Amino acid sequence: MTNITLILGDITDQTVDAVVNAANSSLLGGGGVDGAIHRRGGSDILDECRALRASHYGGGLPAGQAVATTAGRLPARWVIHTVGPVFSANEDRSATLASCYRESLRVADELGVRTVAFPAVSTGVYRWPLTDAARIALDAVRAADTSVTEARFVLFDQPAYDAFETALRGD
Ligand code: AR6
């Protein structure tokens, strides 16, 4: 069973087997978590992302999917890049958001890793409301059939931490 843990912090500080990146379809970097991971992890990550674009993902990585690269100089072995959906008030994209977590864990299992740090995918630039995103994230990880032993949610500020803590307690 996966142990779900929550911490307030920066995902680039996490010593885990794999950190999940809230990327965009281009895989070529951006702001938020993505910017922080590429800045601190260094150019080896971008080199592998470019190679992915030149091979399997010529059209980019679709939302809801996940793919791994090296973590470069981060204190992790792998980065698992996933692309969250942009929040929409008139279209329910929650299945795509849940898929980000499920597919990231599937890639983690393929890599044979045990500890994975997740950000709150889609809750920044992609504007997903925190309370709803926390529920979707936790439900998806709880439901996953995975050999990952720790899924660590790394929340960047107190409102995000509080939303996840409330959702984890189930109230
Ligand atoms: N560690 C942990 N969480 C963080 C960090 C960090 N270092 N930095 C920000 N957060 P976002 P998205 C939180 O915008 O909404 C990028 O430009 C942040 O407060 O990183 O999925 C990509 O290239 C928020 O709660 O990801 C895409 O274009 C959460 O991480 C787009 O943003 C996610 O915010 C993806 O948007």
Side-chain angles (χ1 to χ4, degrees), residues 7-14 20-39 82-87 97 118-128 130 153-157 160 164:
I7 70 155
L8 185 61
D10 184 328
I11 200 155
T12 65
D13 290 333
Q14 304 305 309
V20 173
N21 182 18
N24 61 62
S25 288
S26 81
L27 290 175
L28 300 180
V33 171
D34 200 8
I37 283 177
H38 281 284
R39 244 185 339 267
T82 192
V83 180
V86 176
F87 179 73
L97 184 55
F118 286 98
V121 177
S122 288
T123 64
V125 174
Y126 287 174
R127 301 187 320 273
W128 205 294
L130 271 170
F153 284 91
V154 182
L155 292 324
F156 204 46
D157 55 24
F164 273 73

Side-chain angles (χ1 to χ4, degrees), residues 69-122:
T69 66
T70 177
R73 295 194 299 268
L74 291 176
R77 172 69 186 85
W78 305 96
V79 173
I80 299 173
H81 305 264
T82 192
V83 180
V86 176
F87 179 73
S88 164
N90 44 36
E91 186 189 1
D92 182 6
R93 299 175 179 169
S94 48
T96 307
L97 184 55
S99 174
C100 290
Y101 292 96
R102 201 168 47 244
E103 288 298 302
S104 295
L105 289 169
R106 192 182 58 72
V107 170
D109 283 336
E110 279 175 10
L111 297 169
V113 307
R114 293 292 179 259
T115 57
V116 179
F118 286 98
V121 177
S122 288

